[in-house]
Amino acid sequence: FSGDATNDDDNEAENNQLEKDSQTKKKKKKKKVRKLKLSTTQDFNAKLLKRGIVYLSRVPPRMGPTKVKQLLSDFGEVTRVYLVEEDKTVRKKRRRAGGSGGKRYR
């Protein structure tokens, strides 16, 4: 019977710990909201208006987004590069015909 009492004490201690953990999770820190200066927002909006999109009709095989970004950064700031991967069916046909298995982009 004494073993049952110790198990009850252990279970009670675990329950108390779980309650404390759930209470600490509920107390989240509030995020500090900073006000932006007018000049900062105007500069940001001006940069947004200046940016554009460059379309590349064909990218050489094995040339990935990092290489394209590196090459285009000589002409100005490049923020993002997005390349569309070739279709799965096209890749399957190319591999069946003896081509390499690496990713290629359209």
Side-chain angles (χ1 to χ4, degrees):
F1 288 50
S2 64
D4 290 338
T6 56
N7 284 340
D8 290 339
D9 292 339
D10 290 340
N11 290 338
E12 203 171 305
E14 287 179 25
N15 289 338
N16 288 339
Q17 184 63 33
L18 289 174
E19 287 177 16
K20 288 179 183 177
D21 289 343
S22 65
Q23 288 175 357
T24 56
K25 287 180 183 177
K26 289 179 184 176
K27 295 179 184 177
K28 290 186 179 181
K29 293 183 181 178
K30 292 183 181 179
K31 290 185 179 181
K32 195 172 193 179
V33 179
R34 287 187 250 160
K35 293 183 180 180
L36 295 176
K37 296 178 185 174
L38 181 62
S39 60
T40 308
T41 56
Q42 287 174 344
D43 292 341
F44 179 75
N45 289 335
K47 283 184 181 180
L48 283 179
L49 291 175
K50 286 177 76 175
R51 76 177 182 182
I53 297 173
V54 176
Y55 174 78
L56 303 174
S57 62
R58 187 178 180 285
V59 180
R62 294 179 192 79
M63 183 179 284
T66 53
K67 183 65 176 178
V68 172
K69 187 173 184 173
Q70 178 187 2
L71 291 171
L72 293 177
S73 65
D74 292 341
F75 302 103
E77 182 183 355
V78 178
T79 53
R80 288 189 311 181
V81 173
Y82 175 75
L83 299 177
V84 179
E85 292 182 18
E86 67 182 346
D87 296 328
K88 290 180 181 180
T89 55
V90 173
R91 183 177 180 197
K92 218 177 209 180
K93 286 179 185 177
R94 180 173 50 83
R95 290 190 68 186
R96 229 183 278 146
S100 67
K103 280 186 184 178
R104 291 203 181 161
Y105 301 95
R106 289 197 258 159

